[in-house]
Structures are given as structure tokens and as C-alpha cells.
Amino acid sequence: MTRILKNRWVDYAILGLSVFLIFCLIFDAYIELPNLVAWLGRWHPLILHFPIVLLLIAVFLGLTGKKVPDQLLVVAVLSALVTAISGFFLGKETPVKGDLLFWHQWLGGGLALVASLWYVLANRGLSGTVYTKVLQVVMVGLVAVTGHYGGMVTHGEEFLALPTTKKEKEIPENPVIYADVVTTILDDKCVSCHNPNKKKGELLMTNLEELLKGGESGQTLIPGDPIKSQLISRLHLPTEDEEHMPPEGKAPLTQNEIEILERWVALGASDTLRFDQLPKSEPLVVLVKDLMEPKAESKWEKLPVVADSTLQNLASDYLTIERMAANSNALSVDVYLPPEYAAEPIIALERIAANIVELDLSGLPIGTVEMDFVSKCQNLEWLEIDKTPVTDAEVKKLETLKNLRLLKVYETSITDKSIAVFKNAQSLKNLYIWKTDISQSALESFKNEKPGLSINYGINPEIEAFFVASDSVAVSK
């Protein structure tokens, strides 16, 4: 009698949960959950694996002709129903459900209801029939498809797709800044968490209209004001700040990508602005050109192979060599001033000259010999020779470096003669030349000729004088 009574309570529980699940799925649009009930839905990701394992074990036993223990089937069915209902509660936190979430909920609910039907057939003594076998096969399929949709909801539509070589989106020659550049960045780094299927913070980032609408934290985008735009301000927060975007575990935006978004917002966040409409002096021109160029890793693929043992033999306490990325043959070299300086360790780097893409010789008493070595680093992209005794004669040796993108040559004795070298450096994007003997008139003329080049020539004299005066007042006090 007691056993029969226990079975009835299980029957009532499974029937009640099944009816409640069907009600939730059918009347989804009309249901509003109390806060506590909605909170229960957040347990869904924690409990969903439990019924999957139990159901698969039970199906395996059933399909192999073995008896499925009653307790196993009861616990599997009840946990499947509870998981499906908690998933429905969690889904209610998304006001507008995308197709992925819609199908994930219905497939998950269907799986739980098929499991309930299996329980009914088992109670009728029909465990070994063809009907039960069909249900078990259907359940295996539902587990796979429901999990597939769940993975895409959580991690993006391509998360469980078959592995393929990801084709980078090509930016056209004259791109629309929003459609071809900004959306490329957002799609790559932001949309996986801010789409119709996973609307984190009630924010959609799939189109400009939704960006302007913002989310639960306020205005995400304020055209013309990047400082007040949360899209920008959150990117600049410390990575340990819980408000920092993207969150921990997600790929961060590069400095170039952040600056592109900043300039686009500062220029009004237009969705019609084209690249050729930008003035040549606009910093966004250089930033977009950088994005249009091939990825650094692809540029470095053809560099000669260099062994770790070679790098270890060339390195010392005052000369460090690092790979630009794991297993990359592109190298970054930093040389520090030892108690007794000698050029030999630098000259010895000639055997890996073709691999050096970044080189820092700042603050060293370098001369013609070292600069002859530098001229042989044909793949050099970043060079720091600031605070050194180099002159126009040494700088002229840089004419062979066709890939040089950044040059720091401030606090040196170079004059107007070096400007000719800088003009001919077609790849040069950033130049640092304050506290040199370059005249102001030559500098102004140079700036006008190379509007796309970012020239850092120190603090404006008036501003510098203001800070000096402020410091003097502070000291006198």
C-alpha cells in the first residue's frame, strides 16, 4: 500500500510539472514572474547537466535491452522537467527572444515531455516495445539539438559549428565607416553578448538604432561625446573592474579598435560617413588604414625560422629577446645600458636581423656601427633610438627600412636634413621628434605634406609654460 502511494505521488508530481511546463510554453507572452521565481531560473545552467547524464544512461540501458531501474527513470524525468521549467524562468529575463532561444526552450521542453511519456509507458509495462525504443532514439536527438542551440545562445551562433578556416571580413577600398569598420569591430568583440538571443544588460549592438537606444545602464552611445558614451568609457576601465567591457574571459579590443570607435563617436556616430569624406588630417584616416592592412601574424608567416636556443645564446642581462606571439618568428629586442657599454652584443644580432620587428636602443651611446646593423633589419616596424647621440648621418641609414611604422628619435641632435628621410618613409605612421634641432618652420611644412602621419613633437610651448608656472607657484607655497 505504501509503495503504491509513493508511486502515486511521483505520478502526480510528473503530471503536475508536465502540465505546468506546457502552460508556460503556450502562454509565454502573457506570463510575468515574481522576482524570486525569476531568480530561480538562474540555477538553470547549474542543473541542466544532471538530467542529461541520467537520461542518456537510461536510454543506453533501454536501447541495449537492459532493465532501466525505476529510481533512475523517476529522478531523470523529474530533473528534466525541473530543468526545462527553470530554463523557461531564465528565458523570461530576455524581453525579446531570438530564434535560437525560442527553439532552445521548445526543444528542451519537448525533451522533458518525451521523457515524461517514456515514464508513462514504463508504468504501463511497455518498456520493451517499439514505441519506447522510438522515444529513446528521439530523446538522444533532442539532447543533441537542444544542447546545440543552448551552446549557440550562450557562446554565439558559430560556437558549435563545424570547424572551418575563419575568413576575415575584407574592408573595401572606400568603406562606410559604420557599416564596414565599426560593425566589424562590434561583431568580433561585442555582439556575442549583445544580440537578440543573449541581450546582456538589455543592450542590443546589432544595429545603430539599438546602440542609440542604449540598455538598462543608460545611454550607450552619445554622438559627438565619446567621454559620456558608455560604449567608450567602459572600454577604458581597468580590466579588474566588473564594469569593464568586454568582461573577463572575452577577447579585449585592441588599442587601434578602441581609438576607431572613439573617433567615430566624436565625429557624430554617423552611419553614412565614408572614408573618402574624411579630411587627410583626421586621425581616423590612419586608424582605418591600419585596420585595412593584413594582420600582423600573417605578415610574419614568411619570416625565417629561429630556434629558442639561438635566442638564449644571444640574450643577456642587458639584452632581452622575446617572440611577438607564441611560436612566432617575429622578435622584439630591448637593449639596456650596461655598466660598461660595448657594441658587440648588438652587432651579434645580425644573424637574426631579418626576424626583428621591434627594436629599442633608447638611451644607448650608439653610433655608425650600430646603425649599420639597424639598416639590415629589413622587417623592422618599431624602432626606438631616442636619447642617443645619433645625427642626420645615422638617421639617413634608415632609408632602407620599408616597413618602419613607428620611430622614436626625440632628444637627439637631428636637424631639418632628417625630414627628407621621414618624408620618404611610406609606411611610417608615428614619429616622435621633440627636443631635436628640427626648426619649427620645417616641422610645419612637413606636417602639411604628411597629414596622415602622427607627429609627436612635445607639449605646446604655451601649455608647457603654464605648467612650469604652476609648479613654481606650488613650490613657493
Side-chain angles (χ1 to χ4, degrees), residues 10 22 74 126 145 234 242 259 265 278 285 288 329 340 353 356 415 426 433:
V10 171
I22 294 171
V74 167
L126 303 174
V145 179
R234 292 199 178 202
E242 63 179 18
E259 290 179 11
V265 174
L278 296 170
V285 170
V288 172
N329 289 303
E340 294 184 11
I356 300 175
T415 68
Q426 298 301 317
I433 54 172

Side-chain angles (χ1 to χ4, degrees), residues 20-21 24-25 28 31-48 81-98 101-102 104-105 150 153-154 196-200 202:
F20 181 65
L21 176 59
C24 289
L25 293 172
D28 181 6
I31 296 174
E32 289 188 13
L33 300 178
N35 290 336
L36 181 59
V37 177
W39 174 80
L40 292 174
R42 299 188 180 185
W43 289 84
H44 176 73
L46 299 178
I47 63 176
L48 64 88
L81 287 165
V82 171
T83 299
I85 292 170
S86 67
F88 169 80
F89 291 166
L90 182 61
K92 290 301 292 180
E93 293 189 357
T94 303
V96 181
K97 295 180 182 178
L101 182 56
F102 173 83
H104 176 63
Q105 282 192 331
V153 168
T154 307
N197 297 299
K198 189 180 180 183
K199 198 175 178 182
K200 191 173 182 179
E202 301 302 319

